[in-house]
C-alpha cells in the first residue's frame, strides 16, 4: 500500500491527542502559538492547528504526505505553514509551544530515536505540550522504535502528565493484517 492510499484510508479526522492539547491551550493560552506536527501525514492534525491560528512546522518524510497537505491548505493558511520533507533525524528544530506526534515516533529509526527525543524536549518551550503516541515493547512491529513503561517515565521526568494511557489490543492495521498493538498515548506539559 502506498502512503497516498494509507492517508486516504486514514481520513482527515484529527487525533484525540491533538484535540486534548488544543483543549488545554484553550484554557491556558500559550505565549506563542507555534507547533511542530511531527509526521504530519495528510494534514489531519496540521489543518486544525492552522484553523486555530497556530504557526505550524509540518514535517514528514513521505512526498505524498506533503503533496496531500499542500492540496488542502488555503492561501491564507499557507502563510502560517512551513513544510519540511525529511526524516526525523534531519528536522530543523524550532522553539515551539506544542509538539504533536500522532502515531509517528515509532517510525523514527532506532539509531536516531534517543537524539530525536532530546531534540523534542529541547524544542519545547517551558509549559509547552507534547502530545502523541509510542509503541510499547509488546507491539508486533518489532522493527520499529519501541519503548517500555519505564522508558516513558524516564523520558517524561521533566514533564507533568496531563493524560497517559497504555493499552494492548489485537486488531487490523489500516494496511490490513491483524496485529497486536501495544500503545502509549501521552499528553504532557514541560515544567518551567
Amino acid at each position: 500500500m502506498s502512503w497516498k492510499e494509507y492517508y486516504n484510508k486514514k481520513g482527515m479526522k484529527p487525533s484525540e491527542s491533538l484535540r486534548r492539547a488544543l483543549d488545554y491551550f484553550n484554557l491556558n493560552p500559550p505565549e506563542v502559538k507555534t507547533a511542530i506536527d511531527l509526521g504530519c501525514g495528510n494534514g489531519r492534525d496540521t489543518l486544525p492547528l492552522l484553523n486555530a491560528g497556530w504557526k505550524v512546522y509540518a514535517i514528514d518524510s513521505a512526498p505524498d504526505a506533503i503533496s496531500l497537505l499542500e492540496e488542502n491548505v488555503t492561501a491564507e493558511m499557507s502563510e502560517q505553514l512551513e513544510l519540511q520533507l525529511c526524516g526525523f533525524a534531519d528536522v530543523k528544530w524550532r522553539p515551539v509551544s506544542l509538539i504533536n506526534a500522532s502515531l509517528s515516533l515509532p517510525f523514527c529509526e532506532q539509531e536516531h530515536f534517543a537524539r530525536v527525543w532530546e531534540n523534542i524536549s529541547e524544542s519545547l518551550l517551558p509549559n509547552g505540550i507534547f502530545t502523541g503516541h509510542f509503541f510499547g515493547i509488546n507491539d508486533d512491529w518489532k522493527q520499529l522504535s519501541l519503548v517500555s513503561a519505564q522508558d516513558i517515565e524516564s523520558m517524561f521526568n521533566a514533564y507533568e502528565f496531563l493524560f497517559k494511557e497504555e493499552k494492548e489490543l489485537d486488531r487490523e492495521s489500516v494496511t490490513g493484517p491483524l496485529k497486536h498493538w501495544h500503545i502509549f498515548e501521552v499528553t504532557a506539559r514541560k515544567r518551567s
Side-chain angles (χ1 to χ4, degrees), residues 61-120:
S61 63
D64 282 344
I66 299 298
S67 295
L68 285 167
L69 177 52
E70 287 178 313
E71 289 173 15
N72 291 309
V73 172
T74 65
E76 185 179 294
M77 285 178 176
S78 67
E79 295 173 11
Q80 289 295 104
L81 177 64
E82 184 177 308
L83 300 168
Q84 291 184 47
L85 177 61
C86 63
F88 297 156
D90 299 315
V91 168
K92 182 177 177 183
W93 297 96
R94 311 287 178 85
V96 294
S97 298
L98 171 63
I99 295 182
N100 180 63
S102 180
L103 296 172
S104 61
L105 280 174
F107 296 92
C108 176
E109 296 90 349
Q110 293 175 7
E111 64 268 23
H112 300 301
F113 185 84
R115 183 64 192 140
V116 168
W117 180 252
E118 287 175 23
N119 289 330
I120 287 170

Side-chain angles (χ1 to χ4, degrees), residues 26-88:
N26 284 336
L27 298 174
N28 306 278
E31 288 184 32
V32 182
K33 287 179 82 171
T34 54
I36 291 174
D37 191 3
L38 195 57
C40 64
N42 62 0
R44 73 186 190 121
D45 288 341
T46 302
L47 295 173
L49 284 164
L50 292 169
N51 283 324
W54 288 73
K55 164 75 176 176
V56 182
Y57 303 100
I59 299 154
D60 208 291
S61 63
D64 282 344
I66 299 298
S67 295
L68 285 167
L69 177 52
E70 287 178 313
E71 289 173 15
N72 291 309
V73 172
T74 65
E76 185 179 294
M77 285 178 176
S78 67
E79 295 173 11
Q80 289 295 104
L81 177 64
E82 184 177 308
L83 300 168
Q84 291 184 47
L85 177 61
C86 63
F88 297 156

